[in-house]
Amino acid sequence: MSLPKPVMRGLLAKRLRFHLPIAFTLAITAAIAFKYTVTEPRKKAYADFYKQYDAVKEFNAMREAGIFESVRPSGE
């Protein structure tokens, strides 16, 4: 009683025919999930932040705090 020989001819093509569509489906699903769970909320958070952000007001606050070496606070 001997074991039957394994079928090696066409094994790679057979395995790829099965695994390749699964891999592509999982990759696309992961990309879509990442887009809608990470990037879209992040873009919305940036948009909300910059709707009310005033760069000049922020600059003046940093200038008064003495952060910049090239710009003196208005009190000096």
Side-chain angles (χ1 to χ4, degrees), residues 33-72:
F34 186 81
K35 176 181 172 47
Y36 288 109
T37 59
V38 176
T39 59
E40 292 299 323
R42 186 176 293 169
K43 287 195 302 191
K44 185 180 180 314
Y46 272 99
D48 291 342
F49 175 77
Y50 282 109
K51 278 181 191 172
Q52 47 193 321
Y53 180 72
D54 185 12
V56 174
K57 180 180 168 187
E58 199 70 28
F59 169 75
N60 288 332
M62 287 188 282
R63 183 181 70 190
E64 295 304 319
I67 293 176
F68 303 117
E69 292 180 6
S70 61
V71 181
R72 292 181 183 256

Side-chain angles (χ1 to χ4, degrees), residues 14-46:
K14 180 182 169 189
R15 302 282 292 183
L16 281 178
R17 241 182 279 124
F18 177 76
H19 287 100
L20 210 53
I22 294 172
F24 277 118
T25 304
L26 289 176
I28 290 171
T29 304
I32 291 171
F34 186 81
K35 176 181 172 47
Y36 288 109
T37 59
V38 176
T39 59
E40 292 299 323
R42 186 176 293 169
K43 287 195 302 191
K44 185 180 180 314
Y46 272 99

